């Protein structure tokens, strides 16, 4: 017999037992975003490959080795989006969203990267992200960071650490880059193979190396902070002062460089030590050059993206915060007449009680078998309709989670009764 087809490695189903937690996560996040006046943008999952090459940069991990790229039937090279910013910027330029306008946007959805799958690292994963366009000051950097802090509060997540750094502007990085290359070239024998290659192409990324053997070398490297211009320094200082004023704790991590090339000035990450090497749950920063790089007018921008699987892993570790949403009621109907009355009654109840979560038994069967299902559903109450109840124009309301007595309630009073007890 042929083997059953499996999901693609690194790509996962989110099963019904898990999706409640996902909905909880997304709802809390969306609620915060709405309170700050951010609006959703939805862009296609596939884009022209050129978009990612031009935005993320040819010498990044993502473009070098992680993209799902294929030719479509017309021979166009398409790529499943590895991240959300490029698509947002492309959409903004194409639709004129940046013409003398400020845009506060958010997005969510699956991203695709061909990485080695492990806990917290997948080939299809979900991100929610924020992008604010048209503002160049540290005040908007502070706002987006304040949003992230509020996410963790709304989700009941504790123990996340905020790390920040500044990358200066592109010009400042040129200067710094030279010094860094000098420093690293003098110590070539200490570089691993990947870093040797990066030394030619993208030396700043060496600071981002996850190889523990390189830590000391990186620790002692010159820092960009010493090469900043006055305006860049001031931008960073004002951001720090703002974080202090809002009592948002942070550490300055001069080694924080972020994987993507388009960042400028502010970069930040929220990290946890609970997820091993996959400890970054949210990463972002300022990318003032990107809109212009993709053909738009110069437009300052700042944003971040969160890995939702990693947040889910954290939520699962704090079960006291997990949402529990069993149904309120399970409607038991025995006999044809009861079934006919029951389905009408159920729709009427749903008309009157929009909050009610109710399962209606389907498939017939005895009282006993229906009760078993009612109990297994986790419902607080069984609503019982049999021939005997029908004859008296009542329904039995039986508490399933405590020992109190079953009550008979007149059918016409049922909605009111349930409203009172739920
Ligand atoms: P990492 O250093 O963990 O590879 P990154 O720098 O590649 O992360 P970004 O491109 O900044 O990550 O993406 C933002 C966030 O998306 C990350 O902080 C992480 O939470 C999440 N993320 C990135 N890649 C994956 C993946 N392959 N699987 C699950 N989540 C991911
Ligand atoms: Mg990565």
């Amino acid at each position: 017999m042929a083997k059953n087809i499996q999901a693609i490695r690194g790509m996962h189903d989110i099963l019904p037992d898990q999706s409640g937690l996902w909905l909880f996560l997304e709802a809390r996040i969306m609620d915060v975003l709405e309170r700050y006046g951010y609006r959703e943008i939805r862009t296609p999952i596939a884009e022209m490959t050129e978009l990612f090459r031009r935005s993320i940069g040819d010498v990044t991990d993502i473009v070098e080795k992680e993209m799902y790229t294929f030719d479509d039937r017309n021979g166009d090279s398409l790529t499943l989006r590895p991240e959300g910013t490029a698509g947002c910027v492309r959409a903004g330029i194409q639709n004129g969203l940046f013409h003398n306008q400020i845009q506060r946007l958010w997005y969510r959805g699956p991203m695709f990267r061909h990485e080695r799958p492990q806990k917290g690292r997948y080939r299809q994963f979900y991100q929610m992200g924020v992008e604010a366009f048209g503002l160049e000051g540290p005040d908007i950097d502070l706002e987006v960071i304040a949003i992230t802090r509020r996410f963790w509060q709304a989700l009941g997540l504790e123990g996340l650490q905020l790390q920040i750094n500044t990358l200066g502007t592109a010009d400042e990085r040129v200067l710094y880059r030279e010094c860094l290359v000098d420093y690293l070239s003098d110590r070539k024998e200490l570089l691993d193979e990947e870093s040797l290659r990066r030394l030619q192409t993208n030396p700043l990324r060496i600071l981002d190396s996850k190889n523990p053997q390189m830590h000391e070398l990186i620790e002692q490297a010159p820092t960009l902070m010493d090469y900043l211009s006055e305006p860049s320094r001031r931008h960073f200082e004002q951001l720090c002062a703002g974080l202090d004023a809002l009592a948002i704790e942070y550490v300055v991590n001069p080694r924080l460089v972020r994987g993507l090339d388009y960042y400028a000035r502010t970069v930040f990450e929220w990290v946890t030590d609970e997820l091993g090497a996959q400890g970054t749950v949210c990463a972002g920063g300022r990318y003032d050059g990107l809109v212009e790089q993709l053909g738009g007018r110069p437009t300052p921008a700042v944003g971040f993206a969160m890995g939702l699987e990693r947040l889910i892993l954290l939520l699962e570790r704090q079960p006291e915060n997990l949402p529990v949403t069993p149904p309120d009621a399970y409607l038991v109907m025995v006999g044809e007449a009861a079934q006919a009355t029951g389905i009408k009654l159920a729709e009427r109840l749903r008309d009157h009680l929009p909050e009610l979560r109710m399962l209606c038994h389907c498939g017939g069967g005895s009282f006993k078998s229906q009760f078993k299902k009612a109990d297994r559903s986790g419902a607080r109450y069984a609503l019982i309709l049999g021939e005997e109840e029908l004859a008296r124009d009542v329904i039995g309301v039986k508490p399933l989670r405590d020992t109190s007595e079953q009550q008979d309630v007149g059918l016409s009073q049922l909605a009111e009764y349930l409203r009172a007890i739920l």
Side-chain angles (χ1 to χ4, degrees), residues 61-62 66 113 115 121 210:
D61 281 351
I62 293 180
E66 295 175 358
R113 297 184 194 177
E115 303 197 66
R121 190 176 295 286
K210 296 196 170 72

Side-chain angles (χ1 to χ4, degrees), residues 62 66 82-83 113 115 120-123 125-127 208 210 258-260 263 269 277-278 280-283 305-310:
I62 293 180
E66 295 175 358
E83 52 94 55
R113 297 184 194 177
E115 303 197 66
R121 190 176 295 286
Y122 312 100
R123 290 182 174 172
F125 59 98
Y126 286 82
Q127 284 184 341
D208 199 25
K210 296 196 170 72
R258 308 283 315 112
L260 310 182
Y263 285 99
E269 289 191 357
Q278 278 61 249
T280 304
V281 297
C282 172
M306 299 178 288
L308 298 193
E309 283 81 359
R310 294 183 191 180

Side-chain angles (χ1 to χ4, degrees), residues 108-148:
R108 64 174 149 181
M111 307 294 161
F112 303 85
R113 297 184 194 177
H114 196 274
E115 303 197 66
R116 193 168 67 79
Q118 48 199 297
K119 191 173 146 203
R121 190 176 295 286
Y122 312 100
R123 290 182 174 172
Q124 173 174 329
F125 59 98
Y126 286 82
Q127 284 184 341
M128 281 179 99
V130 155
E131 316 287 3
F133 294 97
L135 295 162
E136 61 186 357
D139 47 357
I140 187 70
D141 301 9
L142 180 64
E143 176 175 292
V144 301
I145 293 175
I147 289 175
T148 55

